[in-house]
Amino acid sequence: MLLALAAIWGSSFMFIKVAVREVTPGEVVFGRVLVGTLGLLVAVPFLGGWAKTWAGLRRFAGPLLVLGIFNAAVPFWLLAWSEKRLDSGLAAVLQASMPLFTALFAYVFTRSERVTGLRLVGVVVGFLGVLMLVGVQPSGDVVPALAVLLTAVLYAGSSVYAGVRLRATSALVTSLGALGFATLATLPLGIAQRPGELPSWKVIASIVALGGAGLSVAYLLYFTLIAGSGAPYAALVTYLVPALALGYGAVFLDEPVTASAVGGLLLILAGVALGTGALRSRRVGGVLDDHVDNFNAGVRTGDWEPMVAGFVDDAEMEFRGVPVGPFVGRDAIAAAYREQPPDDEMRVLEQRQINGRIEARYAWQADPGVAAGEMFVTPEDGAIRKLVVTFDRGVTWD
């Protein structure tokens, strides 16, 4: 699924390049978001139902409008305009810097994680790659390259904004609402710049692919991947998309794969890995992921030993909101689960790391759209030193 998502998003840069050869960026963007919106509308009865989806759209109309403009309409236009002048692969490499901007925005506006140490080194390394790529462009291509970077900034800011304002809604509502408002926002431009004659089949097919596969299908794949494997695993798509886009451009569009593009890509991806904490997250954040996987396996099989093995010998486990515990030591924790085994699996809705502690909001599979509470994990050498579980239905993060 991860490779399929990367293949779809990587091909988007190629399809944009094909489309803007004949039609204006405004037409490409309008056609893209229109097809994407229609595709998601078809999926509504199967994923959330009309009543629930419509209620979510009405409740979050304001934030969805902001997201539609700054996460879709504007960056899509900037990217299409840029690719009239830049190679598609280069545009993909420059846009790969988005997680670096996300890390900076998350620190400035949410203070959820500090950008220091290796993370600061990663941000610097990543932006050195960006500067190298922009610097080697001919003078006439510098502005288009900067426009692609602006799309990365807008995507990053939008993701942080959505994380704060749209946590309480579903992925379907967020995706459909953002694309719907983007369609309305780009409608005047699409009508004003409509072509005088029917474009070629390659252009029409590219726009349909951009909206149908690149938005509708890709959004559903992405959020399914997050739900099934977790956000850290889904984020690996960041490393695959630019490399695939370079390959698509070279094979199908005869674009050169230059040493500067490859070098810039390596610097940017190295910076992303360090600057976003991805390397650390697989080591520290993986403690929570392993715990949840083993917990769910215990619910299915009744064998709690693999989960208990994830605690240090004298670990502490505390439940807040229910009259049990606390429990100290592996034996006490194992006995607690044997005597009162949970009857439902859990899923992590979102997680963050603050000063070495992992925090997460979780939900039960029986009601996967509503937070059941929070978990606070203190790791130690790849195991759990302390686990605190709260039962606070509907809890949100500010």
Side-chain angles (χ1 to χ4, degrees), residues 233-298:
Y233 181 76
L236 294 176
V237 73
T238 302
Y239 302 91
L240 301 175
V241 167
L244 287 172
L246 280 172
Y248 284 129
V251 173
F252 297 105
L253 302 176
D254 294 324
E255 294 178 349
V257 180
T258 63
S260 61
V262 174
L265 174 62
L266 294 176
L267 285 175
I268 290 172
L269 294 185
V272 168
L274 293 171
T276 61
L279 295 181
R280 185 191 66 183
S281 294
R282 293 307 297 169
R283 177 172 58 85
V284 178
V287 173
L288 174 62
D289 298 333
D290 291 343
H291 173 74
V292 172
D293 289 343
N294 290 328
F295 174 92
N296 291 339

Side-chain angles (χ1 to χ4, degrees), residues 87-153:
D87 287 346
S88 63
L90 176 61
V93 173
L94 286 169
Q95 202 174 84
S97 61
M98 187 271 281
L100 299 175
F101 292 108
T102 303
L104 292 177
F105 284 143
Y107 171 66
V108 172
F109 294 108
T110 70
R111 301 284 172 171
S112 58
E113 291 198 36
R114 300 180 63 190
V115 185
T116 58
L118 282 178
R119 299 195 67 184
L120 181 59
V121 171
V123 170
V124 173
V125 169
F127 282 123
L128 284 176
V130 170
L131 290 175
M132 184 187 81
L133 282 176
V134 174
V136 300
Q137 300 307 309
S139 59
D141 291 342
V142 171
V143 172
L146 292 176
V148 176
L149 286 180
L150 181 54
T151 70
V153 173

Side-chain angles (χ1 to χ4, degrees), residues 62-73 158-159 161-162 166 174-175 178 182:
L64 290 172
L65 172 61
V66 173
L67 204 63
I69 293 174
F70 294 104
N71 191 61
S158 297
S159 68
Y161 175 81
L166 294 166
T174 300
S175 303

Side-chain angles (χ1 to χ4, degrees), residues 347-361:
R347 56 174 294 194
V348 173
L349 299 176
E350 58 183 331
Q351 62 177 292
R352 62 191 179 191
Q353 296 176 31
I354 300 179
N355 297 327
R357 186 177 75 167
I358 309 165
E359 301 181 356
R361 292 193 312 130

